[in-house]
Amino acid sequence: MKLAKIVLCGCALLVGCAAPMEQSKGTALAVTRAVLYQNGIGYFERRGKLDGDLLKLRVRPDQIRDVLKSLTVVDLSSGRAISIALPIEKSRLKQLSELPEQVRAQGGVLAIAQAFRGARCQVEGERSATGRLVGVENLGSETKPDWRLSVLTADNVLTQFSVTKVRALKILDGTLELGLRKALDVALDAGSWKPVELAVRLSGPAPHELVVSYVVEMPTWKPAYRVVLGPSENGKPGKALLQGWAVVDNVSGDDWKGIRLSLTAGTPLAFTYDLYTPRFPVRPNLEPQDQAAQIPLDAYQAEGGIAAQKSATATLMAGGGRRGGPGAPPAAPMASAAPEEADKSARAAEPAPPPEPAPVDADALQRNYQALVAGSTVGSLFRYDLDQPITVDDRQSALVNIVNTKVPGEEVLLYRVGQDGASPYRAVRFTNDTGFVLESGPIAIYHQDAQGGTFLGEALGGRIEKTATTFVPYALDGRVRVTLDEAQNEKGMTLVKIVRGLITAESKRVTRYSYDVDNGSGEATTLWVRRPRRTGWKVVGADQMIEEGGAYFIPIALPAAGRTKVSVEEQSPVERSVDIWSDLGRQVIGLYLTNSS
C-alpha cells in the first residue's frame, strides 16, 4: 500500500530547538556569572557590547515566565533600556477555539477528507482531478474494506479514487489550510519548541556596555563529602580530614566558558508566575435560557496524560589480554642445560620483588585536593564563591571542590534513644570549624593509618551549621549492648505562698534514666547517648553534655571490657495549690517549719 501525502499551500513550517537565551547576530552577551541555589533556580549574568540600539534575546518558552519576572538590563554606558517587546502567547485551548470546526479533530487522509467535505481540492492518483470533496465511503466489507474518495469536478462529474492509490491530496482552501497548520502546531505543542524573541530598545549613543541578568529554573547542585579518620594523638582525639565537593549540572542551553560560579546553601522562597500568557476573564452569559441548547452529559470528558521519563545509564568496561593467548607469537626454543645450572639461571633471571608502595596518608590526600572557594554570608544564606573561573559545556556535569581542611574529629559510639535497638552505631563526631555551612549530602567514612586507607561505611548527613558539632553514624556495632531503665518520682516540695487558706507549693518531677552498657569490643571508647530534649525539663547529673538540634548528647566513657552503669536525671518544676487543713497542706507547713529552723 502506497502512502499518501497531503500537500498544503503556503510556506513550509520550520521547527527548531533553541537555547534559553541567545543573542541576535552582532551581539556578544556571553554568560559571565552563575549562582545556583538549592530550590531549583539559577541566577545568571551576561555581559558584552552592542553596536546598535536593539538587543534581541531569544528565550526558550519554558523559561520565559521566570525571565519576565526577573529580567534586568543595565547599560553601563550613557544609555538605558527604554522598552522591551515580545510576541503575545495564546493558550492551547484558546488557539483551538479560534480554529475552524473542520480542523479541530483532524486525522489521516480519510479523516481529512471527511472533515473537509465541500472544500476545494486536487487529487493525484491513477489520474488527476480538481474539484470539491464529496466524501469517503467503504464499498467493501468490514473484514476487507475498499475505501473510495469522491470528488465533484468543475464540469459536475462525480469521480471516485481508490484511497490506497491516492498519492497526494492538496487542499486549495486557504482558510482551512492555515487552520490545519495551526491545529497541528497546537497538537504537537510546537510553541514549546520555538524560541520567544525579546527585543530590548536602548537609548543613548552606541556602543552599549550591557549587563543582562535573570533567574531561570535549574537543577539543584548536589554536595558530597568524605571524612578521613587518623590515629589518635597520645590517647586524645586527633584531627579528621573533611573534604567536600559539589556536582553541578549545566542544562542551561549555553556553554559556560570561564564563568564565575557560586553555590548557595539554603533555600530561598521561589515560585512560578505566568506573566506571558494573556489572561481572559470569564464573562457571565446573559442570553435567554430558552435559547440555549442543553449540553449532553457525555460531552464532559476528562483529559489525562502520562509523562514518561527516560533514563540512560552508561557502563564503563575495561578489558585486557593475557600472555600466550590467541595471536601471541610462539616462544623461542631454549637450549638444554644441566639441572643445577638451569636452576641457578632461573633464580638469577627472576626479577626482584617490587618494593611495597608507600601508603596514601591524609596529608597526601589533602595536598592533592584543592578547594578553591571563598565563603560569604548573604542574608540568611551562605554562598560558596569559586576563586577561579570554571568551564562547563552545555549538557555536561562538573565536580567542584568546596571543602578541604582538617577538623576536630574522632570515632565514637552513638546510641539514639527511641531509634536504635540494643546495640549502638559506630559514628564520627566532628566539629564544623571549616568556616562554611555544609549542606545535606552523602558522607563516606575512611580510616587512614600506616598500612593505608580503609573504607568504614557511609551515611547521609544533614545540614551542618558553622561551629556545630555533629554525629555521623555509619555502621552498627553488635559487640556493645545497651540496657535502659527508666523511673519517675517527685521530690523537693517547698512552700511558695499562703493566700486565704490556700497553700501554693512547688515540687520537682524527676525522670531517672539508667544506662547499663556492656562493652565486648575489647576497645576503650566513648559512647554518646542521644535523647530528644523535652520542653520544660532540665538535665542534671551529666558531665560534658552537648546540645545540638533539639537533642542532648551524654558521653559515657567505656573501658576495653566490662559493664558500665550511668544514671542521668531530668527534672521539671510542678506547682499545685491545696487547702491548708488538708493532709498535704499540713505536710507542706511541717516541711517549711523544719527547713526554717
Side-chain angles (χ1 to χ4, degrees):
M1 175 179 177
K2 297 182 180 179
L3 298 178
K5 64 178 180 179
I6 302 176
V7 181
L8 303 178
C9 299
C11 300
L13 178 64
L14 300 179
V15 179
C17 184
M21 186 70 78
E22 297 178 356
Q23 295 78 47
S24 58
K25 188 175 181 181
T27 66
L29 298 185
V31 177
T32 57
R33 188 189 180 199
V35 182
L36 304 182
Y37 293 81
Q38 286 286 321
N39 61 348
I41 62 171
Y43 168 83
F44 293 89
E45 282 186 4
R46 293 174 176 268
R47 290 175 179 262
K49 287 186 178 181
L50 178 67
D51 294 332
D53 295 330
L54 185 64
L55 172 66
K56 293 184 178 180
L57 305 173
R58 303 181 70 196
V59 183
R60 216 168 56 209
D62 61 332
Q63 295 182 339
I64 185 63
R65 299 178 181 182
D66 288 326
V67 170
L68 286 180
K69 67 183 178 68
S70 62
L71 180 64
T72 302
V73 180
V74 178
D75 191 347
L76 299 179
S77 56
S78 58
R80 62 184 180 89
I82 58 177
S83 67
I84 299 178
L86 70 160
I88 295 178
E89 169 68 10
K90 292 185 178 181
S91 66
R92 181 175 181 271
L93 294 179
K94 188 70 174 178
Q95 292 182 57
L96 285 176
S97 65
E98 295 176 353
L99 298 178
E101 183 178 356
Q102 296 95 318
V103 301
R104 295 181 188 175
Q106 74 287 349
V109 175
L110 293 177
I112 290 293
Q114 292 172 343
F116 286 18
R117 186 173 184 268
R120 295 181 61 253
C121 68
Q122 179 180 340
V123 182
E124 296 181 6
E126 295 179 331
R127 60 190 184 279
S128 299
T130 301
R132 301 183 66 184
L133 281 172
V134 176
V136 180
E137 57 182 339
N138 182 15
L139 300 182
S141 61
E142 294 183 359
T143 58
K144 191 176 181 180
D146 181 16
W147 291 97
R148 299 300 180 97
L149 175 66
S150 300
V151 176
L152 181 64
T153 60
D155 53 357
N156 295 325
V157 176
L158 189 63
T159 306
Q160 283 192 336
F161 294 84
S162 175
V163 174
T164 59
K165 296 180 180 180
V166 173
R167 297 192 305 270
L169 173 62
K170 186 175 184 180
I171 304 299
L172 302 179
D173 191 311
T175 302
L176 292 179
E177 173 267 332
L178 181 60
L180 180 60
R181 286 185 179 275
K182 290 185 176 181
L184 292 174
D185 288 346
V186 174
L188 181 62
D189 198 15
S192 64
W193 293 55
K194 299 177 182 179
V196 179
E197 186 173 77
L198 299 180
V200 182
R201 189 167 299 278
L202 305 168
S203 66
H208 299 273
E209 186 73 25
L210 299 179
V211 179
V212 177
S213 63
Y214 52 91
V215 171
V216 292
E217 184 180 37
M218 285 292 292
T220 62
W221 59 276
K222 302 173 286 292
Y225 306 95
R226 173 170 54 219
V227 175
V228 182
L229 297 170
S232 60
E233 301 174 357
N234 299 325
K236 297 182 179 181
K239 290 282 189 175
L241 176 61
L242 175 61
Q243 296 178 324
W245 57 93
V247 179
V248 177
D249 304 312
N250 180 9
V251 295
S252 64
D254 296 281
D255 293 334
W256 298 345
K257 300 295 185 181
I259 69 169
R260 294 184 297 130
L261 179 65
S262 298
L263 308 175
T264 300
T267 307
L269 295 179
F271 54 87
T272 60
Y273 196 87
D274 190 4
L275 295 175
Y276 182 46
T277 305
R279 299 174 185 171
F280 296 90
V282 178
R283 296 177 294 166
N285 183 5
L286 300 182
E287 67 182 63
Q289 294 298 320
D290 55 355
Q291 296 182 10
Q294 179 67 32
I295 300 177
L297 294 179
D298 58 358
Y300 297 97
Q301 308 234 342
E303 293 186 1
I306 299 177
Q309 297 182 348
K310 297 182 179 179
S311 62
T313 58
T315 304
L316 181 63
M317 302 181 63
R322 60 178 182 179
R323 296 186 181 179
M334 296 181 62
S336 60
E340 295 182 358
E341 294 180 357
D343 186 57
K344 293 180 180 179
S345 301
R347 288 197 302 268
E350 290 180 357
E356 288 292 333
V360 179
D361 56 11
D363 293 334
L365 282 173
Q366 187 175 15
R367 287 194 304 270
N368 287 271
Y369 188 95
Q370 190 176 12
L372 303 175
V373 296
S376 60
T377 301
V378 182
S380 61
L381 306 177
F382 184 85
R383 193 177 67 202
Y384 298 91
D385 298 317
L386 272 68
D387 290 344
Q388 294 186 0
I390 185 174
T391 296
V392 185
D393 293 336
D394 183 33
R395 300 293 170 179
Q396 298 290 326
S397 298
L399 296 180
V400 179
N401 302 336
I402 55 177
V403 177
N404 183 35
T405 185
K406 290 185 177 181
V407 298
E410 61 177 333
E411 186 179 10
V412 297
L413 293 174
L414 176 65
Y415 183 78
R416 300 168 297 179
V417 177
Q419 293 181 260
D420 300 336
S423 296
Y425 277 81
R426 287 278 172 179
V428 174
R429 172 180 175 258
F430 70 89
T431 301
N432 180 20
D433 62 357
T434 62
F436 302 110
V437 176
L438 305 180
E439 277 290 328
S440 174
I443 304 176
I445 312 298
Y446 293 84
H447 184 272
Q448 202 79 27
D449 53 23
Q451 283 72 38
T454 304
F455 173 74
L456 300 180
E458 59 185 0
L460 183 63
R463 179 185 173 94
I464 307 174
E465 299 291 341
K466 291 186 291 185
T467 71
T469 299
T470 188
F471 294 82
V472 182
Y474 60 84
L476 186 67
D477 194 337
R479 302 171 299 174
V480 182
R481 308 286 292 181
V482 180
T483 303
L484 173 62
D485 186 24
E486 180 178 333
Q488 298 181 356
N489 58 13
E490 186 173 322
K491 65 178 183 180
M493 182 172 292
T494 59
L495 177 64
V496 177
K497 60 183 178 179
I498 301 176
V499 179
R500 295 180 181 179
L502 290 179
I503 297 177
T504 302
E506 184 180 80
S507 63
K508 294 180 180 178
R509 287 183 297 180
V510 178
T511 302
R512 186 177 184 84
Y513 302 111
S514 298
Y515 303 96
D516 187 353
V517 185
D518 184 8
N519 184 14
S521 65
E523 302 174 3
T525 183
T526 302
L527 171 68
W528 289 82
V529 177
R530 178 192 182 276
R531 181 179 287 276
R533 173 170 286 282
R534 296 187 293 176
T535 303
W537 290 79
K538 181 181 180 181
V539 182
V540 296
D543 297 331
Q544 299 179 349
M545 181 188 71
I546 63 174
E547 296 184 46
E548 287 292 343
Y552 65 88
F553 298 81
I554 300 172
I556 301 177
L558 302 181
R563 306 176 71 95
T564 303
K565 295 184 179 181
V566 174
S567 296
V568 178
E569 288 186 355
E570 288 186 7
Q571 298 180 358
S572 177
V574 178
E575 188 177 278
R576 58 168 56 95
S577 298
V578 296
D579 188 88
I580 192 173
W581 304 112
S582 64
D583 293 338
L584 183 57
R586 290 194 297 269
Q587 182 181 355
V588 172
I589 294 177
L591 290 175
Y592 173 74
L593 295 176
T594 302
N595 294 333
S596 300
S597 60

